[in-house]
Every structure is written in C-alpha cells, then in structure tokens.
Amino acid sequence: MNNHAPPKHQTRSDKAKVSVERMLLRIGVPVANAIYSVMKLLPVRNKVAFITWNSNAITADFQVLVDRLQAVPHPPKTVVLCREFGGSLLSRARYVLHLFHQMYEMATSRVVVLDAYLPLASLLNHRPSLRVVQLWHALGAFKKFGWSIVDKSEGWSAQSNIPSRTLAGLLRMHAGYTDAVVSYSGAIPYFAEAYHCDPGIFHVAWLPRVELLSDPHHMADVRKRILAAYPQLAGRRVVLYAPTIRRTAMDTSRVLSLVQTIHDNDWALIVKAHPIRGERSGAAFPSVSIDVPDFSAIQLLAIADAVVTDYSAIVYEAYLCGIPVYFYAHDMEQYEQARGFYTHPSQFPSKIYATVNDLITDMNAGVGDKEAMKAFVEIFLEQTNKKVDILDLINPNKRVR
C-alpha cells in the first residue's frame, strides 16, 4: 500500500469519505467474489500465473522462473501479468478492467506467484487446490512492512482515508498465501509478523537474482551492455544512489547536498528510485547525474564501485556483489519511529553517516570491509539442508513441504 503520515484530525468531510470507502469495500468484495465464483466454473489448466501490481515490466526473478518452467518435462503454460496501479484516472480505470484478467488467471491456474501484496489474491475465495506463492521482492528483512507498520506513520494509506489497521483488515492484507519464501530462516519471524500468518508456510529458498548476481559471466555481459549503451561511464568511478521508498517527506536540501558533493568529487552518479512504484521516466538531478533508464538498479551493480542509500534493501545485493555500501542516514531516529527495522542499519557491515563530508571522504578512500560483507552474505543466504528450489515450489507437477 502507498502510504504517508496520518492526519492528526479528521474533518467531517474526511469522515464522510471513510464511510463511503468502507461501504464500497463491503459491497465490492462480495461482488468480486460472486464474479470469481462464476469464473471458477471454468476448467483449471496446467498453468502458472505470475502477477504483480508494482511494475509494468517483468522482473528478473519472474523471467528466470518462467524460462526454467519452460524447460521442465511437460511444462505448464505460463502467464505474466505486470500492470502497475496508479497514475492518471484513465490509467486507474484501465486497471479496474485488468482486475478481471487477474481474476480469470487465478480462477484457471494451478499456481499463482506474487512478488508483493496483491489485493485480489488475498480478498478472493480461491479453490482449495490453488497454490498462492509469495516470493516478496526484497532479498532480506531490513525495513518493517505490512502488518508490522499498520500503526506507524509510514503505514498510513495515502490512497484512503480509512485508518491503516482498519484498511488492512478490510483488504485482508497478505492473507491467503499457501507458501512464502525467505532467503534465511532467521527472517521467518519477521515475515510471519508482516504477513500476519502461520510461520509454517515459509520455505528457505533463494530468489533467482542470487544466481544471476553470483554468475561472473552474466555480470560481465550486463556490464558490457551497459557500457555499450552509455559509453560516458567507461573508465569512471561509478556510484549508485538508491534511496528507499518513503511515505513521509525527505529533507531535499540534504539530498541535493549529497548528489552535488558526489558530482564535485568526480564520481559518475546514477540515481535510481525504489523499484516499487519508483523507477519513473525522466532523469533525477539531471545536472549532476547520468540517466540510465534502460537498466534496473540491480543490473547497475555490474558497473557500480559504490552504493549509497538510506535504508534500501539493495544493500543485500550490493554485498553479494562485493560492493561497499555507505548509509546516508541523517534521519535514522525519525525513520525508526516512522517505520522501524527488522535489521537495524548498525547490524550491517557498513558505516552510517550523518554528514555528506564524512561519507564522501570514506567513499573516495574506498572504505569497506570485504571480509565482513562476505560473512554477512553467508548469514542472509543461508546454506541449509532445508533450503528448497523455488522451481519445485511453483511447478504444478511438484509439491514441496
């Protein structure tokens, strides 16, 4: 859910809007389930549906799994629905029509694979045989989310006047998963809290991106493609600035100071917003950064010499690639109050900076403990005999438990 800090007082108009929104939900959910009941009369096919509402393009994780499913004996049909919710009124109206497509695919598939909360996956009454697998888009448990933050200012819905805890209940947020994935068993209690679910549904499994990021040939190919498309990056020190998604306002003056200082120190700066409803078209800070819209933040790790972030979970992928991370966390106490952490930034093998000057001094010097990063990777990419292959988890012809 897209959130911001809650208003301190609700006006009479706000209360009226809340009443209308609640009424629409209480009417809309039964209507949707009635339509879905008719769709469930259709025959179930040997099909896997990959669905997200956070992106208009297929993710690397989904693409790898689709390709791997096509290579198994008697491969199932695969369908990928990537349609971002938001934008203009026309875009939102089109999304309403897209919901019927989601319902049809869920009604006629044997497995549904998600990478984030999807309202219909939790609201609809599915066939008992339908497997709903939640992969989640973050590699580790860093920031709190879901039910863990419904009473925090970062957990307030910007698209509704209904209080966040009430709205989460009405939308049955994260309900209905039959299986969920974490990369290490230590994250299970955190994700179980966020999903408000039974810890027994979790499996230790690595997201497909781990294999891609660990493959030197793949990363060399990505690097070659990036430099071919953006030759101005060749021979330069490249820093990826990847701030987290925020519901509350950032101190823009501090961010401007950061990007200007990085530029002044002769780094090639690439800015990537959070991929969940964040990577928009158009350059950020065009006078001091290089716009690279054709490659994701994860792909850009193939050329990055350093990563700067406040609280983005890209730190996990950066450590996997052996890239030093610099936390520009000048508002950490406020952010902890507004959202909170499962893993506090002080627990990561990176320094935390409150000032730009200290950060740039260490970044210029290449400060970073590669051995500590390697040890941290061994924690969040747990080697255990309980680890499963996600392919087995989502293959309709198999059942892992």
Side-chain angles (χ1 to χ4, degrees):
M1 289 184 293
N2 194 13
N3 304 322
H4 64 77
K8 294 181 180 178
H9 303 286
Q10 281 195 326
T11 65
R12 183 176 297 178
S13 174
D14 289 333
K15 291 178 180 178
K17 289 177 182 177
V18 167
S19 297
V20 170
E21 289 173 8
R22 284 182 174 176
M23 180 184 68
L24 289 174
L25 280 172
R26 286 171 177 156
I27 294 173
V29 173
V31 168
N33 267 301
I35 297 170
Y36 190 55
S37 295
V38 175
M39 290 184 176
K40 285 189 293 184
L41 297 175
L42 297 169
V44 175
R45 302 178 62 187
N46 188 33
K47 181 171 62 175
V48 180
F50 295 80
I51 309 177
T52 183
W53 71 330
N54 288 323
S55 173
N56 289 321
I58 188 170
T59 65
D61 290 325
F62 277 7
Q63 186 63 66
V64 169
L65 292 172
V66 168
D67 292 342
R68 291 187 65 194
L69 278 172
Q70 297 310 305
V72 304
H74 311 292
K77 176 180 174 60
T78 54
V79 176
V80 181
L81 301 184
C82 299
R83 178 69 66 87
E84 188 175 357
F85 177 73
S88 66
L89 287 175
L90 180 59
S91 295
R92 296 189 180 204
R94 287 174 176 165
Y95 191 85
V96 172
L97 296 177
H98 176 69
L99 292 178
F100 291 98
H101 192 178
Q102 290 184 6
M103 293 166 68
Y104 168 78
E105 298 300 345
M106 286 188 277
T108 57
S109 294
R110 292 178 62 188
V111 181
V112 171
V113 183
L114 311 173
D115 67 350
Y117 167 65
L118 186 80
L120 285 183
S122 294
L123 286 169
L124 296 178
N125 299 319
H126 301 297
R127 301 175 191 269
S129 60
L130 180 67
R131 204 182 309 170
V132 181
V133 184
Q134 174 59 264
L135 302 187
W136 202 244
H137 52 270
L139 195 54
F142 187 2
K143 304 181 298 292
K144 291 186 176 182
F145 69 97
W147 282 94
S148 298
I149 61 169
V150 289
D151 296 320
K152 300 265 191 177
S153 60
E154 284 269 324
W156 182 265
S157 175
Q159 298 179 15
S160 173
N161 291 283
I162 301 175
S164 188
R165 179 173 287 277
T166 303
L167 183 62
L170 290 170
L171 292 176
R172 301 187 68 236
M173 186 170 68
H174 293 301
Y177 305 149
T178 59
D179 302 272
V181 164
V182 291
S183 65
Y184 59 109
S185 56
I188 290 176
Y190 303 136
F191 277 79
E193 176 186 289
Y195 297 160
H196 213 250
C197 72
D198 181 353
I201 72 169
F202 287 92
H203 306 265
V204 175
W206 298 351
L207 295 178
R209 75 184 72 162
V210 172
E211 181 180 343
L212 297 178
L213 293 171
S214 302
D215 182 350
H217 298 292
H218 171 79
M219 296 302 283
D221 179 66
V222 174
R223 178 182 177 85
K224 183 178 178 181
R225 289 191 286 119
I226 293 171
L227 293 179
Y230 301 92
Q232 64 269 44
L233 294 171
R236 298 193 62 187
R237 300 179 302 172
V238 177
V239 56
L240 174 64
Y241 174 45
T244 192
I245 189 170
R246 286 178 181 255
R247 324 303 188 188
T248 49
M250 293 180 68
D251 187 338
T252 53
S253 64
R254 287 181 179 268
V255 176
L256 288 170
S257 174
L258 172 67
V259 297
Q260 185 64 54
T261 303
I262 290 173
H263 174 74
D264 292 344
N265 279 262
D266 199 30
W267 284 81
L269 170 65
I270 301 173
V271 180
K272 279 290 183 179
H274 192 285
I276 304 302
R277 308 185 191 100
E279 291 186 352
R280 309 295 187 186
S281 58
F285 313 106
S287 63
V288 295
S289 68
I290 298 171
D291 188 27
V292 186
D294 304 326
F295 295 90
S296 70
I298 300 299
Q299 289 176 308
L300 289 169
L301 293 174
I303 61 164
D305 299 292
V307 170
V308 175
T309 188
D310 44 7
Y311 316 109
S312 171
I314 197 174
V315 296
Y316 292 97
E317 288 87 353
Y319 293 142
L320 178 58
C321 294
I323 303 170
V325 175
Y326 303 88
F327 284 115
Y328 184 48
H330 57 83
D331 64 346
M332 189 162 59
E333 289 185 9
Q334 298 95 313
Y335 192 83
E336 189 163 15
Q337 288 288 325
R339 188 181 189 106
F341 304 102
Y342 298 123
T343 306
H344 194 274
S346 62
Q347 296 175 265
F348 289 88
S350 293
K351 291 177 67 174
I352 301 167
Y353 301 88
T355 68
V356 172
N357 288 338
D358 289 342
L359 185 154
I360 199 68
T361 297
D362 281 359
M363 199 167 76
N364 283 336
V367 170
D369 189 335
K370 288 192 177 291
E371 288 303 314
M373 287 190 282
K374 185 177 178 181
F376 190 78
V377 170
E378 291 175 355
I379 293 173
F380 74 80
L381 292 182
E382 182 180 7
Q383 293 282 5
T384 172
N385 57 8
K386 294 182 179 180
K387 185 166 78 73
V388 304
D389 186 336
I390 291 179
L391 184 67
D392 292 338
L393 197 62
I394 67 173
N395 186 346
N397 302 317
K398 290 193 175 185
R399 179 67 179 174
V400 176
R401 181 39 67 194

